[in-house]
Amino acid sequence: MDYEQYTKTCQTIQKTNNRLLQLFEEDLVKSGLKEKTINRHLSNVDFFLNEFLIRAGALPMEEGISMLDEYLGNFFIRKCMWSTPTNIKTNAASIKKFYKCMLEHGKIEKEDYEILSSCIKDSMESWQCDCAIYNDPDNSNPFFPF
């Protein structure tokens, strides 16, 4: 794919993502969450969809399910200077809530949501541990030599 086509693909995916984020926001508002909490969830998911998945090869939302370990277990820890074990948990919660919304609106299959939920449950402790080690200058880099 040439650069012009890639750019158009990215723009198309981002437009779709923004519509999905609007749907997510509407559901969050209906659920009675505080504005600050809604904004945090939207910001976390927007970064995942419109930064990480786009940079990972212009991937649509559906492909994010299989990319969660790469995101929270690697990219987020190494590339986001605000990464902490707590932020990993918060981001996972936001992403899980987003995909639950997508399931409820028929945008993904139940099996895909269950895969995502299992990945979070099975990997959270490892992600948080790697993040704590990575952020501690006295420890060796758990991602070396990457």
Side-chain angles (χ1 to χ4, degrees), residues 13-139:
I13 290 171
Q14 287 174 321
K15 283 180 187 177
T16 300
N17 288 344
N18 291 336
R19 285 193 300 272
L20 297 173
L21 285 166
Q22 285 180 315
L23 184 63
F24 182 45
E25 181 177 16
E26 290 167 9
D27 281 6
L28 293 173
V29 169
K30 287 177 191 173
S31 74
L33 293 175
K34 293 181 180 177
E35 184 176 347
K36 182 178 177 182
T37 303
I38 292 170
N39 289 337
R40 185 185 73 235
H41 285 313
L42 289 171
S43 176
N44 290 343
V45 175
D46 181 46
F47 188 81
F48 175 66
L49 295 175
N50 288 320
E51 295 296 330
F52 174 72
L53 291 179
I54 294 296
R55 290 176 186 215
L59 302 175
M61 170 275 297
E62 298 83 357
E63 297 210 24
I65 292 166
S66 65
M67 296 295 291
L68 194 60
D69 187 53
E70 175 63 24
Y71 177 64
L72 291 176
N74 185 353
F75 179 88
F76 188 78
I77 295 169
R78 294 184 315 108
K79 301 294 185 182
C80 300
M81 59 190 261
W82 61 91
S83 70
T84 65
T86 301
N87 281 346
I88 288 176
K89 192 168 193 163
T90 302
N91 270 267
S94 296
I95 292 167
K96 185 176 179 180
K97 192 175 278 291
F98 170 77
Y99 280 101
K100 177 74 168 178
C101 170
M102 296 301 102
L103 173 64
E104 291 170 353
H105 289 279
K107 306 290 184 187
I108 64 168
E109 299 295 323
K110 184 176 182 182
E111 180 180 330
D112 292 329
Y113 179 74
E114 290 169 354
I115 290 169
L116 177 109
S117 297
S118 292
C119 178
I120 292 170
K121 181 182 177 201
D122 296 343
S123 302
M124 180 60 66
E125 187 176 328
S126 174
W127 296 336
Q128 288 180 306
C129 182
D130 284 348
C131 184
I133 292 169
Y134 187 79
N135 288 339
D136 184 345
D138 295 330
N139 282 316

